[in-house]
Amino acid sequence: MSFRFRRLQQISRLLPQFYRGNPCGLFGRSIDFFATYSNSSRNVSTSINTRPEQGGCFGERYSTVSETKKKPLSEVDLLSFIRSSLNKPQGASHCWLNKTEDSNNDFKEDGIFLILAGVYCEDSLSTQDDIVITFEKVKSLQQRHPFLQVLAFQHSRSICINNISTNLIQMIIKEYITFPILLSNKHIFEMAKGPCYIIFKGFKNPLIYSEKDTDLMVLDKAVSDLNVQDEEKPVISNMKSSWVKPIEGFKEPYLSSALRNLLLSFPGCISVEESGDRFFLSDVNHHRIIIFNSVGKFLDVIGSSPGFEDGEFESAMLMRPAASFYDASEDCLYFVDSENHAIRKADMERRIVETIYPRSDANKKNNGLWRWILDKIWTKRDVDSKSEFASESFLFPWHLMRSSDNNLFVLNRSFGTLWVMDMASGLIREVVKEPSKILEICGEMILEKSIPLKQIPTDWLQQQLDANCPFEKIPYAGLMSSVAAYQDHVVVCNAVGQMVSKFSRKSGLISIFQFSNFGILGLPYWLSFPLERVSAVLVDGVLSGIHIDHFERFRLLPGTVDIELNIDIPQHTNLVEPLQEGCIWRQARGAATEISGAVNKATSTEKVGAAQQWYDEIDSLSFSVQEIESSTENGSMHAGEGQDGKVRIGCTVNTSPGASEVIIYAALYLRLKRSPTSDVDDQVKKATRIADVLDPTRKVSRDLLVKLLLTSNSNMEELIFIRPLHVKLKFDCLDHPKADNHLKDIILTDSSVNVNVVL
């Protein structure tokens, strides 16, 4: 072995580079982990015999052994540059995008990295035909390898956050990119054949793969080979299995954290049941499907939070739902659960969500309590071998159609893969990747679904993110799942403006759906925190890292306390409709128990999380029905808007001696007040006001948010947004007062507090 090592050292002095596969075609000025090329040396290197990699894809490994050169290097080593920038939010030649300040130490330098380099064209987003496929590969690797540390490296003309291209921001939101992006104004290297993947461990011996020709299996093998060296890493499931349960520690794109306070976040797909006057809107980045009627009234909502779980509408979890269609014979909605790589069905009568594909052997055998417990604690489930198509993984489906012979035609967003699935059994019958054959099988159906798009102005369609399509004969087919015909209107999702629009076929006018009945949506999932986190880190009584709008401490006698919040909503805004109970969440902890509205809990539990229902049931055991009825008859529980324009929220708690706290969350649905002017400068001011409400803590640059809001070219006064409310009240209660008699009876007291909150 030592002899072989010495021989390798001798060879390395003569041939500083070892090639594994076909070089990716680097050109231009070099960096020192890429061997320096002159024109002549580049011609020599390409003539070296190479060995093809698995899947017809080629990679190369570069030695980090330095080489004596006639001229000193003037360029920056890419790996060293990235390593030095990991914990620096911004520098002289770089800045981080889609990364929070508190995540600076998340990277482990000795871990395994995947860097996606040069994938984005700064001048145009629509010309990047393969960009969807690229990000799907990376996100798939993230799901399969939780330990993998992913980031993107991108050249940018400007490293000022406020000057970042709007196209790049829209791409992050559209593709739901969770990994950070390192922007640099230095041309470190260029790829002759486009973007590339760089995989390495501990910033040593990088493997480089051309993005265009690299199969997902090749990347997966490269990551797995590096992971084999670390025995503590979890065993990765077979790459042929497309189903992996999402990690419980859900991570949301940083740039989407502010925009999620819009009523809709990337409304991507819509379908309609015309006979029942119901629309099914996939609110993609909110991980839910909203059901509303033709006048915009919300009727129901499917999905509670990001994840993968079947069950009732309020507890089911989805991950970026996409296309859907309604089956009247079953009274069911079939829909694509894109980033769970699944086809699911919502029974509208029973209000239950079930998974059609992938099917689980365990779920067939046992649907009882034990299976539910195992599904909660286990990281993956056994996929039915019969439903597993061995040659192709079912990854990131988007479009969904039903054929005349009860087959499901499922397409990914790039139209690169068609899965033909049996609707009854959930088995994949065929996988098609040839564009000509895809058109032959379902071209007529794609054309039929795209017909309503012909009645929409072309300039409006060109603004949409999915307007491009590889089929020349079917323009804008990428939007076919975003449009639906209803009577004399064409209803279409406006993913740029975060709205739903309708075009009148008779008049040609466009209008926006005016939504109502927001209480049906409940409290958004991102406003609630686990109990363990709520009780975790307190600094002067305030949760560290969590924005609280109002904190106040009271010293009272134990007994019943009626709390009334008087809330001044942000200036220049109005409530869209009076605050409903479904948009409020109350919690009492410590020596207090929340009793307001306990009588009505049976009718309102369907809009409350399962954990809250459990705690509410425990709380209700502590007090008699007579006591609860007396408190509710006094009107202690109420929510609405007073005559003075303030929003009022009521809450009643029973306190005992000791420390306690009451936490109140609410979602206030607002829009800007009407203004008589509508010039450009006024639109900028309106967008700035909305940005201040969307992100009160200024986690995201205000100018960046304003720029993104203005790209919709919509009237800012029509945009509905959420102002989250978070109030924390602390109560220090003394001992019960004693009666002045020989029995020393305990005296129960009733108290009331008024809390004024300014947003």
Side-chain angles (χ1 to χ4, degrees), residues 709-749:
L709 290 171
L710 291 175
T711 57
S712 64
N713 294 324
S714 302
N715 186 351
M716 293 293 105
E717 295 175 353
E718 295 180 340
L719 194 63
I720 298 176
F721 47 91
I722 302 172
R723 176 52 167 97
L725 173 69
H726 184 187
V727 175
K728 186 182 177 101
L729 306 176
K730 195 90 171 180
F731 294 96
D732 296 317
C733 295
L734 305 175
D735 290 336
H736 287 285
K738 303 294 181 63
D740 190 12
N741 55 32
H742 66 283
L743 297 177
K744 299 295 182 181
D745 293 333
I746 294 176
I747 300 176
L748 298 178
T749 60

Side-chain angles (χ1 to χ4, degrees), residues 89-341:
Q90 192 161 4
S93 57
H94 83 277
C95 73
W96 286 96
L97 189 62
N98 209 33
K99 182 181 180 182
T100 59
E101 294 182 1
D102 55 1
S103 64
N104 288 333
N105 298 321
D106 287 352
F107 289 114
K108 298 178 181 179
E109 294 189 7
D110 60 344
I112 301 176
F113 284 80
L114 185 150
I115 297 178
L116 180 59
V119 70
Y120 168 70
C121 176
E122 193 167 21
D123 297 322
S124 175
L125 180 63
S126 60
T127 58
Q128 301 290 324
D129 295 332
D130 297 329
I131 198 168
V132 175
I133 301 174
T134 301
F135 285 117
E136 286 178 354
K137 290 179 183 178
V138 174
K139 288 192 289 186
S140 180
L141 290 172
Q142 279 185 300
Q143 291 182 355
R144 299 175 190 279
H145 304 280
F147 58 84
L148 185 63
Q149 303 177 97
V150 180
L151 61 91
F153 176 82
Q154 181 65 47
H155 172 264
S156 177
R157 288 189 290 266
S158 173
I159 59 170
C160 177
I161 291 294
N162 296 336
N163 296 330
I164 299 300
S165 168
T166 305
N167 282 342
L168 178 57
I169 307 300
Q170 290 179 340
M171 179 190 70
I172 293 173
I173 296 171
K174 171 193 171 186
E175 302 300 332
Y176 209 68
I177 299 173
T178 59
F179 51 83
I181 300 174
L182 178 60
L183 300 177
S184 175
N185 56 10
K186 292 187 176 182
H187 282 282
I188 295 182
F189 73 99
E190 297 180 79
M191 296 296 298
K193 296 182 180 180
C196 69
Y197 306 95
I198 307 175
I199 301 175
F200 56 87
K201 182 176 181 179
F203 286 90
K204 297 178 182 178
N205 302 324
L207 279 168
I208 300 179
Y209 296 92
S210 171
E211 186 279 329
K212 184 177 181 181
D213 302 320
T214 304
D215 186 77
L216 179 59
M217 295 287 288
V218 176
L219 298 175
D220 178 76
K221 186 177 186 303
V223 175
S224 299
D225 289 346
L226 291 176
N227 185 50
V228 168
Q229 305 170 14
D230 192 346
E231 296 180 353
E232 297 180 359
K233 301 298 182 184
V235 179
I236 305 304
S237 59
N238 190 344
M239 188 67 185
K240 294 179 181 179
S241 175
S242 62
W243 198 97
V244 177
K245 187 175 181 179
I247 307 170
E248 295 300 330
F250 170 72
K251 183 178 180 182
E252 191 165 21
Y254 173 57
L255 285 176
S256 297
S257 61
L259 291 177
R260 68 187 176 186
N261 283 329
L262 293 173
L263 172 62
L264 303 175
S265 181
F266 196 73
C269 301
I270 194 168
S271 61
V272 62
E273 180 208 356
E274 192 163 354
S275 60
D277 189 25
R278 290 189 293 187
F279 293 86
F280 305 95
L281 173 67
S282 293
D283 191 6
V284 179
N285 287 353
H286 281 158
H287 315 285
R288 64 188 179 186
I289 296 176
I290 299 175
I291 305 172
F292 63 94
N293 62 16
S294 57
V295 296
K297 181 181 179 180
F298 291 140
L299 305 176
D300 210 339
V301 61
I302 304 172
S304 61
S305 59
F308 195 175
E309 186 171 321
D310 290 344
E312 297 180 352
F313 286 3
E314 296 76 27
S315 59
M317 295 183 181
L318 320 177
M319 184 68 78
R320 305 198 78 211
S324 64
F325 72 84
Y326 176 76
D327 182 8
S329 62
E330 299 183 50
D331 191 21
C332 290
L333 180 75
Y334 287 80
F335 65 93
V336 170
D337 198 350
S338 178
E339 299 210 1
N340 279 326
H341 319 295

Side-chain angles (χ1 to χ4, degrees), residues 314 585 605 607-614:
E314 296 76 27
W585 188 81
T605 51
K607 298 306 169 193
V608 186
Q612 178 65 20
Q613 294 178 30
W614 187 76

Side-chain angles (χ1 to χ4, degrees), residues 631-649:
S631 63
T632 55
E633 287 174 0
N634 292 331
S636 60
M637 179 188 178
H638 58 274
E641 187 174 6
Q643 295 180 353
D644 53 0
K646 293 185 178 182
V647 178
R648 305 191 188 281
I649 299 177

